[in-house]
């Protein structure tokens, strides 16, 4: 998607070739050099940023190559944001919350980028987070950038692209990056492993059950916010707060040294938002002092290195002509019970790894 927001005032960046703005807007993405994108992107130009993300998301080989070069050149300028993961069941108020919270952050002089990880398209060919015009007010602010989830991909693909998009947004000067995901699958784990802080939004009065949110997700949270704590729901919200605060006590201490809290908020009535930001800042302060913040980033980078290797290997494996030639027969043998899955995998690995093997 091309982000056609007005270009920020580039007159404040006299070193930038003004014609680049038009070139980026008009030319085919691959007709420009990576330096052209990076030069504009570093000035905070949302058009260039949007285009660069489109390249990251593209499956075309030439786009991917260009994207790789852009990301590599942006890398030295990245890493300086606070990366916040936000999850919660559909309807809990994620987009409303992010809009209110994002506008508050802008009022604090922050620049906010909102990204999403929504791999649901894989199963339903539709998205859970929705294509509705979300966070309209936030998206129209000059200091904000809102981008929907890359679509039509496996979780692994979406996660990789989002990770690279984070780097691009950071290079473009966004100092708070919010990554939204929906609390119904594996996507929280991916988002948790690419963010510094994980915020779980819950509803009041949804009973003792964790609203379809798995215990593991509650355990990952650095903060639980009971949203919609307004009107008639206030009492229920306070009860939910006590219950979750009790539940949090049962988990082992976090290696960050941070003790997660439960707070109340109302995204619609703009209540509890300042408090939530204070919690985030306290977390940042604590984990910067005890060095967990940086340690966690390094650990995440290693994790994504191995994830990427696995994805590449898997790709190579399934594209291998010898594997393709034998895969169906092996699947059939495993299905009718004449071969164990382990033996089948070994056999296919042999086909894959022995280029001299004559079939
Ligand atoms: P999402 O699916 O989690 O992104 O949820 P939405 O942000 O789309 O919100 C779902 C519904 O809840 C909408 O009708 C919102 O207006 C409503 N909603 C969101 N936040 C609040 C809140 O703080 N209080 C109340 N009363 N309603 C809210």
């Amino acid at each position: 998607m091309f982000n056609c927001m007005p270009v920020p005032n580039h007159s404040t960046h006299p070193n930038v070739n003004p014609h680049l703005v038009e070139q980026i807007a008009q030319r085919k993405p691959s007709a420009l050099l990576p330096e052209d994108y990076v030069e504009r992107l570093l000035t905070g130009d949302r058009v260039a940023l949007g285009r660069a993300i489109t390249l990251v998301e593209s499956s075309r080989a030439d786009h991917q190559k260009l994207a790789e070069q852009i990301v590599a050149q942006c890398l030295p300028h990245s890493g300086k944001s606070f990366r916040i993961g936000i999850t919660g069941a559909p309807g809990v108020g994620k987009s409303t919350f992010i809009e209110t919270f994002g506008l508050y952050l802008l009022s604090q002089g922050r620049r906010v980028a909102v990204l999403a990880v929504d791999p649901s398209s894989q199963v339903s060919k539709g998205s859970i987070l929705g294509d509705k015009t979300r966070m309209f007010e936030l998206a129209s602010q000059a200091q904000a950038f809102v981008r929907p989830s890359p679509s039509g991909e496996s979780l692994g693909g979406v996660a990789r692209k989002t990770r690279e998009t984070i780097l691009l947004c950071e290079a473009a000067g966004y100092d708070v990056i919010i990554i939204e995901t929906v609390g119904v699958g594996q996507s929280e784990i991916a988002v948790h492993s690419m963010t510094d802080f994980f915020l779980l939004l819950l509803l009041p009065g949804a009973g003792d059950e964790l609203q379809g949110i798995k215990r593991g997700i509650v355990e990952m949270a650095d903060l639980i916010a009971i949203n919609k704590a307004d009107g008639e729901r206030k009492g229920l919200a306070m009860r939910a707060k006590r219950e979750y605060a009790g539940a949090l006590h049962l988990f082992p201490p976090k290696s960050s040294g941070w003790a997660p809290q439960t707070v109340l908020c109302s995204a619609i009535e703009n209540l509890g938002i300042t408090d939530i930001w204070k919690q985030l800042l306290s977390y940042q302060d604590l984990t910067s002092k005890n060095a967990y913040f940086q340690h966690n980033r390094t650990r995440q980078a290693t994790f994504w290195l191995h994830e990427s290797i696995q994805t590449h290997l898997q790709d190579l494996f399934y594209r291998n002509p010898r594997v393709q030639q034998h895969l169906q027969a092996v699947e059939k043998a495993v299905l009718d019970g004449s071969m164990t899955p382990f033996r089948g995998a070994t056999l296919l690995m042999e086909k894959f790894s022995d280029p001299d093997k004559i079939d």
Side-chain angles (χ1 to χ4, degrees):
M1 192 189 83
F2 189 81
N3 192 329
C4 49
M5 300 292 180
V7 180
N9 179 12
H10 48 80
S11 60
T12 52
H13 303 283
N15 297 332
V16 172
N17 170 7
H19 300 300
L20 268 179
V21 182
E22 285 146 47
Q23 286 172 0
I24 286 177
Q26 287 161 17
R27 280 218 238 157
K28 278 187 188 163
S30 43
L32 287 165
L33 294 171
E35 298 77 43
D36 299 335
Y37 284 97
V38 176
E39 191 181 345
R40 287 299 313 157
L41 210 143
L42 293 179
T43 70
D45 179 352
R46 286 187 296 186
V47 176
L49 175 60
R51 280 261 158 151
I53 297 173
T54 303
L55 290 171
V56 164
E57 291 175 354
S58 170
S59 51
R60 269 177 53 174
D62 57 335
H63 287 177
Q64 280 181 8
K65 196 163 165 235
L66 188 52
E68 210 170 283
Q69 291 168 318
I70 296 170
V71 173
Q73 289 184 27
C74 282
L75 198 61
H77 307 278
S78 70
K80 293 189 195 82
S81 79
F82 194 2
R83 304 169 181 167
I84 304 165
I86 295 186
T87 194
V92 69
K94 288 181 297 300
S95 20
T96 316
F97 176 84
I98 293 171
E99 172 132 293
T100 307
F101 185 56
L103 289 169
Y104 170 75
L105 294 177
L106 296 187
S107 77
Q108 300 298 298
R110 301 289 180 143
R111 293 188 67 209
V112 180
V114 181
L115 313 174
V117 169
D118 180 7
S120 56
S121 43
Q122 196 186 350
V123 185
S124 61
K125 302 285 172 216
S127 75
I128 296 184
L129 291 174
D131 299 326
K132 56 188 167 156
T133 311
R134 312 171 83 244
M135 303 161 210
F136 185 75
E137 202 186 333
L138 183 62
S140 65
Q141 304 294 317
Q143 301 302 319
F145 180 81
V146 179
R147 180 88 182 184
S149 176
S151 57
E153 277 268 9
S154 65
L155 175 59
V158 171
R160 178 186 69 73
K161 289 170 182 184
T162 307
R163 237 189 93 78
E164 297 197 339
T165 299
I166 293 175
L167 302 177
L168 297 179
C169 290
E170 288 175 344
Y174 292 94
D175 58 357
V176 177
I177 317 266
I178 294 174
I179 300 153
E180 175 190 13
T181 194
V182 72
V184 291
Q186 290 288 309
S187 56
E188 305 76 0
I189 296 165
V191 170
H192 183 252
S193 57
M194 61 175 83
T195 49
D196 307 310
F197 189 96
F198 200 61
L199 170 60
L200 172 62
L201 289 183
L202 292 173
L203 284 172
D208 287 345
E209 282 122 51
L210 300 176
Q211 305 170 39
I213 305 266
K214 293 184 195 75
R215 187 180 177 273
I217 308 296
V218 178
E219 199 167 350
M220 282 188 326
D222 294 304
L223 181 67
I224 290 180
I226 316 281
N227 190 35
K228 306 196 186 183
D230 47 43
E232 290 171 358
R233 294 192 197 83
K234 261 187 202 151
L236 284 173
M238 280 163 76
R239 214 178 85 193
K241 181 181 165 187
R242 281 195 298 274
E243 281 171 12
Y244 283 108
L248 284 177
H249 270 305
L250 303 175
F251 295 130
K254 284 181 176 280
S255 43
S256 59
W258 173 255
Q261 305 287 315
T262 309
V263 295
L264 299 180
C265 72
S266 166
I268 281 206
E269 294 191 2
N270 202 346
L271 297 171
I273 304 296
T274 315
D275 240 30
I276 289 176
W277 182 233
K278 274 192 194 147
Q279 289 266 343
L280 273 118
L281 291 178
S282 301
Y283 174 90
Q284 204 178 26
D285 187 50
L286 174 88
T287 55
S288 299
K289 284 184 182 144
N290 70 14
Y292 178 82
F293 197 89
Q294 201 43 49
H295 163 75
N296 189 41
R297 287 258 176 116
T298 316
R299 210 178 51 172
Q300 289 178 342
T302 316
F303 170 81
W304 287 104
L305 166 71
H306 291 288
E307 276 289 307
S308 307
I309 292 172
Q310 279 176 25
T311 312
H312 276 306
L313 280 177
Q314 206 171 331
D315 222 39
L316 279 176
F317 179 83
Y318 285 108
R319 280 173 198 231
N320 182 290
R322 290 184 307 279
V323 170
Q324 285 178 354
Q325 192 187 337
H326 294 275
L327 185 61
Q328 236 182 352
V330 171
E331 266 178 1
K332 193 167 169 291
V334 169
L335 261 176
D336 68 25
S338 62
M339 192 187 283
T340 65
F342 183 75
R343 174 70 199 131
T346 310
L347 211 133
L348 288 172
M349 284 309 295
E350 281 168 9
K351 302 281 178 211
F352 174 67
S353 58
D354 186 359
D356 298 328
K357 199 168 184 101
I358 298 163
D359 297 308

